[in-house]
């Protein structure tokens, strides 16, 4: 949700890192963003769960990758 919220607001995500256990927004806002970005017009709960699970895995891998670390790549992969 933290990434989707910032993406939806047009923020730069290159320097953002997930903040574990921090609470942002309301459950309704979270669900609204998931529905907006999941890519399915009328998703089931299972489709929403799969979307959030996949997104979470991808973003976790991205944060763990040295190639996505702005301190390592500097400005060579801006916006990657």
């Amino acid at each position: 949700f933290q990434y989707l919220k910032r993406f939806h607001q047009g923020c730069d995500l290159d320097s953002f890192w997930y903040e574990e256990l921090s609470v942002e927004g309301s459950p309704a806002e979270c669900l609204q963003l998931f529905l907006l970005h999941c890519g399915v017009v009328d998703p089931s709960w299972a489709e929403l769960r799969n979307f959030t699970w996949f997104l979470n895995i991808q973003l976790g891998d991205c944060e763990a990758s040295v190639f996505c670390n702005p301190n390592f790549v500097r400005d060579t992969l801006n916006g990657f």
Side-chain angles (χ1 to χ4, degrees), residues 3 16-19 58-66 68-69:
Y3 273 99
F16 175 73
W17 293 92
Y18 167 70
E19 299 172 30
Q58 294 300 307
L59 291 171
D61 288 348
C62 181
E63 284 189 354
S65 171
V66 69
C68 296
N69 184 333

Side-chain angles (χ1 to χ4, degrees), residues 8-80:
H8 189 71
Q9 294 171 340
C11 297
D12 179 22
L13 297 176
D14 289 343
S15 59
F16 175 73
W17 293 92
Y18 167 70
E19 299 172 30
E20 190 173 353
L21 302 178
S22 72
V23 177
E24 294 184 14
S26 67
E29 183 183 11
C30 181
L31 181 58
Q32 184 178 28
L33 278 178
F34 287 161
L35 290 169
L36 184 65
H37 292 282
C38 79
V40 178
V41 176
D42 187 19
S44 66
W45 285 111
E47 289 168 324
L48 282 176
R49 184 219 171 267
N50 289 338
F51 167 70
T52 57
W53 174 79
F54 178 77
L55 187 61
N56 188 50
I57 295 295
Q58 294 300 307
L59 291 171
D61 288 348
C62 181
E63 284 189 354
S65 171
V66 69
F67 296 107
C68 296
N69 184 333
N71 297 323
F72 177 73
V73 296
R74 306 273 186 245
D75 62 354
T76 59
L77 297 174
N78 231 2
F80 176 69

